[in-house]
Amino acid sequence: MKTIQKLPKLPVFRHEATHKYFCEKSKKWLKYSTTQVCSDLTEEAKQNIERLRHIWQPRGETVHYCLEQKMLGADEIDMGEYEEWAIPLFELELFTHFEPMGVEYMMSNPDKDLGGQLDLIGYDTKAKKIRLIDLKTKGDTKYDFKKRTGWREPYQTDKQLGCYIEMLKLNCDIEPDICNTVWAYKGKCMLNEDQPVQRCLDAWQEAWEKFEAKQRFANKRNQQNKRYNKKSS
């Protein structure tokens, strides 16, 4: 029988108000987060998301908390207003043969000045694989479920999972066998098709290179503006 090791607690914490990560080992606040690097939304899309924050933020935080408590073995879980999301999530078939190794697990990559937090990693005793899982919550099902074509995954999470794979290797010297995204809707929960580890790593590498290029361009422009302002004063 395979012995499953829980992941050790790492010297990383997050300031919730600013969503900034602090690495105690390197004794510094990290500039970037996984979410920040992986976001490629337009300003208009960001504004639309921000406008609906009062809806998605409490739902997401509560459902993530519920899954965390479930994986930690809590007997009673306060689901608040989100019982219709949490219960189908708890009843996901995968979790009948799943041993958690880490939940809401914070990590860092000091070389990239980066912090992040994976949702769940554990051992699938049926498939005999370590699974890295990201949890997403959505509202109702009308946009993603069609009568003719069935369920359509809202978007890809490869690059986000790829970041966690990289940090797991760096911090814990482990690598999952496969990745998945769980989509929690009101009254329904969906597990997507397996996301290969290498595909996720490739997506993350591409996202990081694009982000780095943007940062270099922004820094160069700021330096030019400073020189211009100095000459003008």
Side-chain angles (χ1 to χ4, degrees):
M1 183 175 178
K2 187 177 179 66
T3 301
I4 303 305
Q5 298 292 329
K6 302 288 186 183
L7 298 183
K9 180 175 173 57
L10 298 174
V12 182
F13 70 84
R14 183 176 65 205
H15 186 257
E16 294 301 328
T18 60
H19 205 75
K20 290 284 188 182
Y21 290 86
F22 185 83
C23 178
E24 294 177 343
K25 188 175 181 179
S26 58
K27 294 181 171 55
K28 70 173 184 177
W29 289 98
L30 303 170
K31 288 183 181 179
Y32 312 121
S33 70
T34 304
T35 303
Q36 186 180 358
V37 176
C38 291
S39 176
D40 54 7
L41 297 173
T42 64
E43 286 304 316
E44 183 180 0
K46 289 179 183 177
Q47 289 173 10
N48 288 335
I49 289 174
E50 189 63 30
R51 182 170 53 83
L52 299 173
R53 177 181 288 274
H54 66 288
I55 296 174
W56 57 259
Q57 185 170 30
R59 180 187 70 214
E61 289 178 351
T62 304
V63 178
H64 276 77
Y65 165 79
C66 289
L67 181 61
E68 177 185 19
Q69 293 303 301
K70 180 72 172 177
M71 291 296 120
L72 293 175
D75 293 326
E76 295 184 9
I77 301 173
D78 182 6
M79 295 177 274
E81 302 174 9
Y82 302 97
E83 185 175 331
E84 291 179 90
W85 282 262
I87 290 179
L89 175 62
F90 295 164
E91 294 175 346
L92 191 69
E93 192 272 340
L94 170 64
F95 295 146
T96 65
H97 48 86
F98 187 85
E99 296 183 25
M101 298 165 60
V103 57
E104 298 299 332
Y105 192 68
M106 294 188 193
M107 301 176 288
S108 68
N109 185 336
D111 288 343
K112 288 183 175 175
D113 228 345
L114 179 73
Q117 177 175 284
L118 63 79
D119 292 332
L120 181 63
I121 185 171
Y123 187 68
D124 180 341
T125 59
K126 186 176 180 180
K128 294 180 171 51
K129 292 180 178 180
I130 295 176
R131 289 188 184 271
L132 172 61
I133 295 173
D134 194 50
L135 171 64
K136 302 295 185 189
T137 70
K138 298 281 286 182
D140 56 41
T141 60
K142 64 182 180 180
Y143 296 110
D144 301 332
F145 292 81
K146 306 297 181 184
K147 288 183 179 179
R148 292 177 59 187
T149 58
W151 179 64
R152 179 188 62 186
E153 193 166 12
Y155 55 88
Q156 290 292 314
T157 61
D158 288 356
K159 53 190 174 183
Q160 182 178 351
L161 288 163
C163 178
Y164 301 146
I165 295 167
E166 183 179 74
M167 287 199 285
L168 278 167
K169 185 67 176 176
L170 178 65
N171 289 272
C172 307
D173 196 28
I174 67 166
E175 186 173 283
D177 299 302
I178 202 69
C179 301
N180 290 98
T181 304
V182 172
W183 298 87
Y185 295 85
K186 184 178 181 180
K188 190 182 288 286
C189 186
M190 302 297 293
L191 176 69
N192 74 342
E193 293 184 2
D194 290 351
Q195 296 165 258
V197 166
Q198 190 57 53
R199 190 182 82 188
C200 293
L201 284 170
D202 290 344
W204 164 245
Q205 182 63 27
E206 182 180 352
W208 175 254
E209 288 173 359
K210 287 181 179 178
F211 182 77
E212 266 195 317
K214 286 181 181 178
Q215 297 307 306
R216 285 195 297 269
F217 177 78
N219 290 336
K220 185 176 180 180
R221 185 172 58 184
N222 288 337
Q223 290 173 359
Q224 289 173 339
N225 288 339
K226 285 180 181 179
R227 286 197 293 268
Y228 175 80
N229 291 334
K230 189 175 181 180
K231 289 179 180 179
S232 301
S233 60

